[in-house]
Amino acid sequence: MNKYFKEHKFPEEIKLMSMDDLELLTYEIRDFLVENVSKTGGHLASSLGAVELTIALMRAFNPPEDKIIWDVGHQTYVHKLLTGRADEFRTLRQLDGMSGFPKQKESEYDLFDTGHSSTSISLGLGLAAARDLQNENYNVVSIIGDGALTGGMAFEALNNVVNVNSRMIIILNDNGMSISRNNGGLSSYLGRMRGTLKYTSIKKNVKKRIGSVPKIGSTMVTGIHNTKESIKHAVIDDSGRFFEELGLNYYGPIDGHNIEDLCEIMEVAKESTGPVLIHVCTKKGKGYSIAEKNPDIFHGIGPFDPSTGKLVSKSSNPSYSAVFGRKLTEMAAQDTHVVAVSAAMLEGTGLKDFAAEYPDRTYDVGIAEPHAVTFAAGMAKMGIKPYVAIYSTFLQRAYDQIMEDVCLQNLPVVFCLDRAGAVGADGETHQGIYDLSFLSSIPNLLIMAPKDGPELEKMLDLTRALDVPCAIRYPRGTAPVINDAPLNDFKSEKLTDGDDCAIWAIGSMVANAIEAAEILSKSGISASVYNARFLRPMDEEAIRNCASVYNHIFTIEDNILSGGFGESINSLLVNEETKVHNIAWPDKYIEHGTTAQLYERYGLDAVSIAERIKKELER
C-alpha cells in the first residue's frame, strides 16, 4: 500500500487537515488510483472525477452515522480508499477480492449494494422518511450523476420529494457524461447551467467584503444569509428553477474540484429543514490527462500501461459487440428502415461506427431502458425496423415494456442483448445470467443465441425477414469462429456424432460443450454435441429424436437453472425415460471474478463439464 495512506487514519483525519493538506491528498489519491487500477482494471475516469467531492463528503458529514448513498457506485473507489480499504485495492475486481461497487459485506460505510443507475434518490428518500418516523437525526445524502438523472426512476423520486418533504441532500455530480457523452434535453439544460459556475464564489466574496465594513458588517452578513434565496436567484439567473419547482432547495452550480467551496455548500445544506439539491460540476478523468481526453475509454478499462494508457493485452479478434455493430451497419446500407436504439451505451454495444455513418437513424435515449423499448415499439408500429442494443443486466429494467408494449402488440422489435451470461469482474449486479429465464415466459417472443460470430450475423439477417419480436443474446468478449453453417428453418445444429450421450448447448456454451466432448473422447466416451440456436421456437423434433436414441442428455447454458434452457428441455421430455442433466448457474447471485474463474468454480468450464458427464454415465 502507498506509504501515505499507512501514515493517516481516514476518514477521521480529513476533518483535522488544512485545506492545503487536503489539496495534497487529492494528488496522492489520484496517483494511487492510476497506479492500482492500471494493474487490475476498473472504473477509473468516474472515480478520478469524484476525488474532491468524496473528500468534502467525509469532511462535512459523519458516516456511517450519516447515510451516504452512491448512485450506480462505479465512482466509489475514493470512498473505499478513505474508509480503510487501501490495502485491498490490489484485489479490486479479482476473485474473492474487493468489489468495484459498494458492498455491505465489505464495510459499514457501504450502505447498499448498488450497480444499476437512477436508484439513489429513491433510496435516500426512503431512508429519510424512516428516520423521521423513528425520530432520529442523521443526515441522508444521495449522490447521482447527470447520466443517471436521465433514468425515469430518478424523476419518479424527484416527483415524490415534495410529498414526503423529508430533510435530505441530493448531490448532482454533473460531468456531462454517463459512459459516453450525454445528449438530450436534460443534458442541454444542465449544460447551460454549467455556464453559471459562480454562485458559491460570489457569495463568499460578497460576505468577505461586506463583513469587513466596521460595526455594521456582521449584521449585514446575517441579513444576507436570511435572504439567501433572493441572492441565489439573482446570481444564477434562475437556472435551478426546475428543481425548485419540484420542491427542492437548489444550490449551484458548484465547482466540484474546489474542496473549500464544496464543504461550505454542504454545511449550508445541512441547515435546511427540507430536501436540498446541490449541483456539482466535475470533470471525468480529472488529474490523469489520458483519461481526461478519453473518458469513455477509461470509464471501465482493463489493465493498462499508466504511462501511455494502452491496454496491457487486447485480442486482435473482434468482440461480439464489434461483430454486431459492423453487421448492423451493413444491414442499414441495404435497408433504410433499419435503425439502432441505445440506452447510453452506443460505444459499449458496438454502435459507434453505426452512429457515425447513420446519425439520423441512431437514437441514444439516455439511461432509460423502459423508454427505449416503448420508443422502439412506436417506430415498429409504423414500419421501421428498430434494433435495441442493451446489456442483458440492464434490459431487466424494461421487462414490463417488453411484455406489454412490444410482445403483446406482436411488433417486430429486435432486442440485441450484449453481455449476456457471466460478465466477470463487475459481479452480482452485472452478470447477464437471467435473460433466458425472464424472456422465455413472454409470449410471441422469438429467442436465439449464436455460438460464434458468423452465426450472430446470420441471426441478424434472419430478423430482417421476420415480422415478430426477436431477442438475440450474446456474451461479452471475443467472438470465436467455429464454423460457417447456414441457419435452417429454426432448426438446431448437430456438431459432433457420439454413441454414449447427447450434449445440448446454447450460445457461448457450445464452445465449452465441444471441448468437453473432446476431453471425454480421451476417456473412451463419445458424445453428440448439438447447438440449440433457438430457445423459442425450440427444435422439439430433434430433441425428441435424441431422447429416443440416448439414455442421457446433458444441457449446458450460461444462464441460471431456474426457468432456463435446460428446464425447457426437461418439460419437453417429462414423459420420456431419458435422463436429462442440467448444467447451469445456480439460482444465486454470482460474485465477481474472471469468467474463466467463475466457470471453473461453478462447473461450467469444459473440464468440469466433462467430469460431470463422466460421473453421471459411470453412475
Side-chain angles (χ1 to χ4, degrees), residues 420-439:
V423 297
D426 284 337
E428 293 97 327
T429 54
H430 285 63
Q431 309 287 15
I433 60 175
Y434 310 101
D435 52 62
L436 291 181
S437 299
F438 73 72
L439 292 175

Side-chain angles (χ1 to χ4, degrees), residues 147-202:
L149 194 65
T150 64
M153 188 174 175
F155 283 94
E156 293 172 18
L158 286 172
N159 181 62
N160 191 225
V161 162
V162 67
N163 292 331
V164 178
N165 199 33
S166 287
R167 179 174 59 87
M168 71 173 294
I169 298 169
I170 301 166
I171 297 178
L172 170 57
N173 181 14
D174 177 7
N175 59 28
M177 300 190 71
S178 46
I179 291 178
S180 302
R181 295 199 177 276
N182 291 327
N183 54 57
L186 180 63
S187 178
S188 298
Y189 174 68
L190 293 177
R192 292 192 298 273
M193 294 171 72
R194 286 183 214 112
T196 65
L197 193 64
K198 56 191 179 181
Y199 164 55
T200 298
S201 58
I202 288 178

Side-chain angles (χ1 to χ4, degrees), residues 336-525:
T336 58
H337 291 85
V338 170
V339 303
V341 180
S342 169
M345 289 283 186
L346 285 175
E347 180 140 359
T349 56
L351 289 171
K352 186 176 181 179
D353 290 342
F354 184 101
E357 187 74 20
Y358 301 105
D360 294 338
R361 289 153 65 184
T362 305
Y363 301 90
D364 184 349
V365 303
I367 305 179
E369 292 85 0
H371 165 63
V373 171
T374 303
F375 171 70
M379 286 194 289
K381 181 69 176 178
M382 302 311 294
I384 299 298
K385 192 75 173 186
Y387 287 78
V388 181
I390 296 177
Y391 289 6
S392 170
T393 184
F394 298 137
L395 193 65
Q396 297 164 183
R397 298 153 64 93
Y399 184 82
D400 184 65
Q401 288 70 30
I402 298 169
M403 177 176 281
E404 298 292 323
D405 300 333
V406 174
C407 293
L408 177 62
Q409 323 297 328
N410 204 29
L411 294 170
V413 175
V414 182
F415 299 103
C416 303
L417 281 69
D418 203 321
R419 274 46 167 197
V423 297
D426 284 337
E428 293 97 327
T429 54
H430 285 63
Q431 309 287 15
I433 60 175
Y434 310 101
D435 52 62
L436 291 181
S437 299
F438 73 72
L439 292 175
S440 64
S441 61
I442 303 178
N444 295 341
L445 182 63
L446 189 150
I447 306 168
M448 51 192 126
K451 69 178 184 298
D452 60 6
E455 196 159 82
L456 172 57
E457 295 189 54
K458 289 178 174 60
M459 288 179 175
L460 287 166
D461 274 330
L462 175 64
T463 61
R464 291 174 59 191
L466 298 174
D467 198 33
V468 297
C470 299
I472 309 174
R473 55 110 65 178
Y474 44 91
R476 182 181 196 172
T478 302
V481 177
I482 295 174
N483 63 27
D484 198 19
L487 287 178
N488 295 317
D489 299 324
F490 306 111
K491 297 297 183 181
S492 58
E493 175 190 19
K494 189 174 185 180
L495 294 167
T496 67
D497 281 311
D499 299 324
D500 298 311
C501 66
I503 304 173
W504 279 79
I506 190 166
S508 61
M509 287 294 102
V510 171
N512 288 22
I514 293 171
E515 187 179 349
E518 292 172 353
I519 294 171
L520 287 169
S521 68
K522 296 175 183 177
S523 300
I525 299 172

